Amino acid sequence: MAMVVPCQTNQQSACKPRTAHYSRYGHRHFFPREQALQQLTTGLKRAEWFTVAHLLMVVAALAGGFTAYLIGAPMPFLIGGVIGSAIFVVSYEKPTRRLGKIHPYIRPAAIAATGAMIGSKVTPGLLSVLPAFWISAIAILPFVLLAHAGSYAMLRHVGKYNVTDAYFAAMPGGLVEALLLGEKAGADTRVLTVQHFIRVLSVVVVVPLLFYLLTGEVVGSAASTSGSTTPSLPYNFVDIALIVLLGAVGMFVGRKLRIPAGHLMGPLILAVIVSISGVADIIVPEWLLHTAQLVVGTTLGAQFSGIGRALLQRCFKMGILTVTYMLMLGFVFASLLEPYVPADVSAMFVSFAAGGLAEMSLIALSLDLSPLIVALHHLIRIFLTIYVGNQIFQRYFVNSKE
């Protein structure tokens, strides 16, 4: 963020226009306008996003992923990537040393590929049953209200958060939007960031483990044989090229048209069109799914950067409490809805697990649990969380203060 600062000296000839810049920690620095413009235009050229530390983090994530893969853990490259990169970040960072930012296109690229892989699994038969999920779509609203209210009560009375922090930290979705709304309302963005990160991370790790414990199936690993990701199905360069092309074009179109979660939904929609039109029958190789898991997991683990241990411990304890409540609530809704929708309780549970849209879509893809259905449910959940949550805050919290 930048702003022009007027000259404060009478010697106009010696005064150069300056630009105020704010660092990632909120400190303001001043530079001559020319230097500021040069920094803006050459920031990525300096490759600050690819340092030796980033390379070591990737190695740690790979080590975690392959270790989890070899021991037969569920979703090995997602969970192992998270754990490996998180351990590295916590060990590497010191008060005077921080991990640099990851390139802003790495995570969206993996999510775009995930969208293309999800869309490639859609068949005309699946589209024909979409209207049958109207009741579960409607049920998302009471789920959001109950999840938000229960989590708010826990953060407020058990965690002793103030009203604003507790309200926006308890939102069951929409990390970025919750941060923007919370900052505008005066909440502590550090608390919101860490609390939502813990929510997403906990759901990503717990849901595959729950499926493993309850079903005994090792999902997303070498033992997984789901859908088109099985090694017995041959693939070629055309399949890889189509996934990359659909991901790139879909992400561009999604952003241009301002589609919600466009980096995921844009490629997904394009892949659905290609799949149901019969233009191509895309085979998704297992290693590509593992790569997407690794990238998403590594970028999640990197979010530990800059988080103080005291704040992390506090938010982690409350995160475990609120996530347990949300997952139990999601299971109740999934069990009640199963008789009325053409999907089993597993697919419904993943659809109501309050994790990130991209992460839950990737889990559904690995579990072969109607990833399109899951993605649409989470998209509705995030929209309702932000819209309804903001309306309630404005009406009952802001007005009550006035």
Side-chain angles (χ1 to χ4, degrees), residues 195-225:
Q195 202 66 66
H196 280 284
F197 166 62
I198 295 297
R199 171 181 59 82
V200 172
L201 180 62
S202 299
V203 173
V204 165
V205 173
V206 169
V207 168
L209 290 176
L210 282 177
F211 273 90
Y212 172 67
L213 293 174
L214 295 176
T215 67
E217 296 180 3
V218 184
V219 294
S221 68
S224 176
T225 56

Side-chain angles (χ1 to χ4, degrees), residues 40-75:
L40 290 173
T41 56
T42 62
L44 292 180
K45 294 180 182 178
R46 292 179 299 176
E48 293 179 345
W49 46 268
F50 189 72
T51 62
V52 174
H54 288 107
L55 182 60
L56 292 175
M57 181 182 68
V58 172
V59 172
L62 279 170
F66 276 109
T67 300
Y69 182 83
L70 291 175
I71 66 176
M75 301 285 290

